[in-house]
Amino acid sequence: MTFKGQSIISIRDLSKPDILLILERAKKIEQMLSDNPKSTLDIAKDKVIASLFFEPSTRTRLSFETAINRLGAKVIGFSGTEGTSVKKGETLKDTALTVAQYADMIVMRHPLEGSARYVSEVTGIPVLNGGDGANQHPTQTLLDLYTIIKNKGAISGLTITMVGDLKYGRTVHSLAYALSLFDNINLVLVSPDELKMPAYLIDEIKEKSGMKITETSEISDAALNSDIIYVTRIQKERFPDPAEYHRLKNAYIIDKGLMSMAKKDTIVMHPLPRVDEISTDMDSMDNAVYFNQAGLGVPVRMALISLLLGYNL
Ligand code: CP
C-alpha cells in the first residue's frame, strides 16, 4: 500500500509485503543508529504528533513517544483523562476533532473497541491504534514479528505457543492473524476454557490460511517443543466478574523448572506488563527476550511513523 497518510487500526490493514517493508525499515533504522541507539534521525522536525492514552500504558506510550522524539517530531497529549476536558463530559469525537486541529497524526489507546477506527473516520488524519479494548494492538504485533525475526531468523515454519488470556488479550488477537500470513506456522493456543481465543477469529484465520491451530488447556508437549512461548497476562480489567479473575489469575506460571523441559533454544516472549505469569527467576535466562522485545518497539514504531509521514530513508 501507499503508506503516506494512512491509519493503522488493525493488523488487517497491512498485507504481508507491507509488514515486511516496515520490518526492513526498522532494521535499517537500527543500523543507522547503531553507533548510538539513543540518537535521533531528525527527519520530522516540522511535525506534531498527539499521544492520547485514555487507558494505562507504559511501553506503548513511552516507546511511541521515544520514536516520535527520535524522528525529531514533537509530542503533545495526555496519559489518563485527569486534567483533560473529558472530565467535563467532552465526547471522544469532540476531543479528537480538537486534537486534529493541532497535530499531524494521532497515536491513541482507548478502552472501547472500535474507538481508534472511529477517530480516524471523524478526523481524517492518520491514527495509530495503540490498543482498543480487547480488540487490536497492531503495532505490538509488528514489534513481536520483528522480535521473532531477530531471534529466529524467520517467521515461517515456526511452532508458536500462546499461553494465558487469549480471550481478552488484544496482542494475541493481532499476532495470531499476522502469523497466518506466513507459511507453515504451527500455532498452539493454551488457555483455560473460559479464556479461549474468540471462535470468530480462529474461524477467520483457518478459512483464510489453513494455518494449523491446536487448542488446549495444558502446557503440553506441544508447548514445550515450541520455538516460541508467547505468554500473556490475565487481563483483570476486562473481567465482568472479579471472582472469575481471582479463580483464573494463576492458571499458568512459566518458570525455570518448566523451561528445563522445553527445547534449549525456545524463546519466551511477553508483551508485558507481567504480573505473576512469568517467574522473575526466568529473567536472567537467555531464553527470556521480553525486555528486549519491549525495546524493539522504538525502531519498529519509528519505521512505521516515518512511512506514514511519507519520509524516505
Ligand atoms: N505491551 C503493551 O501494550 O504494554 P503497555 O500496556 O505498558 O503499553
Side-chain angles (χ1 to χ4, degrees):
M1 75 174 181
T2 308
F3 279 91
K4 190 174 178 187
Q6 297 292 324
S7 291
I8 305 298
I9 307 298
S10 163
I11 197 67
R12 292 173 185 80
D13 295 335
L14 297 166
S15 65
K16 183 178 172 184
D18 294 335
I19 290 172
L20 294 176
L21 184 75
I22 296 163
L23 303 188
E24 268 307 308
R25 181 169 284 212
K27 186 176 167 189
K28 189 169 179 185
I29 287 173
E30 278 207 296
Q31 283 162 354
M32 289 169 80
L33 300 180
S34 62
D35 288 344
N36 178 5
K38 293 190 173 156
S39 58
T40 65
L41 289 180
D42 261 358
I43 55 173
K45 277 184 180 161
D46 60 337
K47 299 295 181 193
V48 173
I49 298 179
S51 164
L52 311 183
F53 279 72
F54 295 81
E55 211 186 41
S57 169
T58 297
R59 279 144 291 274
T60 308
R61 183 174 73 83
L62 295 180
S63 65
F64 259 121
E65 294 185 4
T66 303
I68 294 164
N69 280 303
R70 291 204 186 136
L71 289 168
K74 312 283 184 299
V75 187
I76 59 169
F78 51 79
S79 170
T81 54
E82 199 60 46
T84 75
S85 289
V86 175
K87 288 289 171 199
K88 301 176 201 161
E90 186 167 59
T91 61
L92 177 60
K93 181 178 181 183
D94 286 1
T95 301
L97 286 172
T98 304
V99 171
Q101 302 296 313
Y102 311 139
D104 299 289
M105 175 184 283
I106 293 174
V107 174
M108 65 176 280
R109 171 173 289 184
H110 195 283
L112 277 182
E113 296 185 17
S115 50
R117 181 77 68 198
Y118 176 70
V119 167
S120 78
E121 284 169 5
V122 297
T123 62
I125 67 170
V127 173
L128 300 187
N129 181 10
D132 61 328
N135 186 31
Q136 282 279 310
H137 196 345
T139 62
Q140 177 70 41
T141 294
L142 293 171
L143 76 91
D144 291 342
L145 295 174
Y146 193 53
T147 304
I148 292 172
I149 290 176
K150 284 192 75 123
N151 281 277
K152 294 290 173 190
I155 297 169
S156 295
L158 296 175
T159 295
I160 299 173
T161 296
M162 297 178 173
V163 181
D165 184 347
L166 308 185
K167 176 179 181 181
Y168 296 119
R170 56 195 168 204
T171 68
V172 285
H173 298 166
S174 296
L175 182 57
Y177 180 88
L179 290 172
S180 74
L181 301 175
F182 293 84
D183 297 328
N184 202 20
I185 299 276
N186 181 15
L187 184 63
V188 182
L189 302 177
V190 180
S191 70
D193 276 350
E194 298 85 343
L195 299 177
K196 286 168 82 169
M197 188 166 282
Y200 80 85
L201 183 55
I202 294 183
D203 291 347
E204 178 190 0
I205 289 170
K206 281 186 174 167
E207 202 170 298
K208 261 184 90 100
S209 71
M211 183 167 73
K212 185 175 175 215
I213 300 179
T214 309
E215 291 186 274
T216 171
S217 57
E218 303 289 327
I219 299 196
S220 58
D221 290 352
L224 295 171
N225 285 322
S226 294
D227 299 296
I228 296 168
I229 301 178
Y230 188 101
V231 189
T232 63
R233 174 177 68 91
I234 308 292
Q235 307 270 308
K236 181 181 182 182
E237 65 276 27
R238 314 253 180 249
F239 277 73
D241 176 5
E244 178 90 331
Y245 166 73
H246 286 288
R247 195 170 61 77
L248 297 172
K249 68 179 181 180
N250 290 328
Y252 307 102
I253 294 179
I254 310 296
D255 58 15
K256 263 189 172 169
L258 183 98
M259 289 307 292
S260 70
M261 296 185 282
K263 289 200 305 180
K264 215 173 159 46
D265 64 350
T266 298
I267 60 166
V268 177
M269 297 175 62
H270 192 312
L272 302 177
R274 148 179 69 185
V275 185
D276 293 317
E277 60 280 358
I278 297 181
S279 167
T280 53
D281 73 359
M282 282 281 307
D283 295 356
S284 58
M285 294 180 77
D286 289 341
N287 314 60
V289 304
Y290 27 89
F291 289 112
N292 183 246
Q293 177 186 351
L296 294 173
V298 175
V300 168
R301 289 178 169 123
M302 285 175 81
L304 181 61
I305 293 169
S306 67
L307 281 162
L308 297 175
L309 290 175
Y311 294 111
N312 290 318
L313 289 184

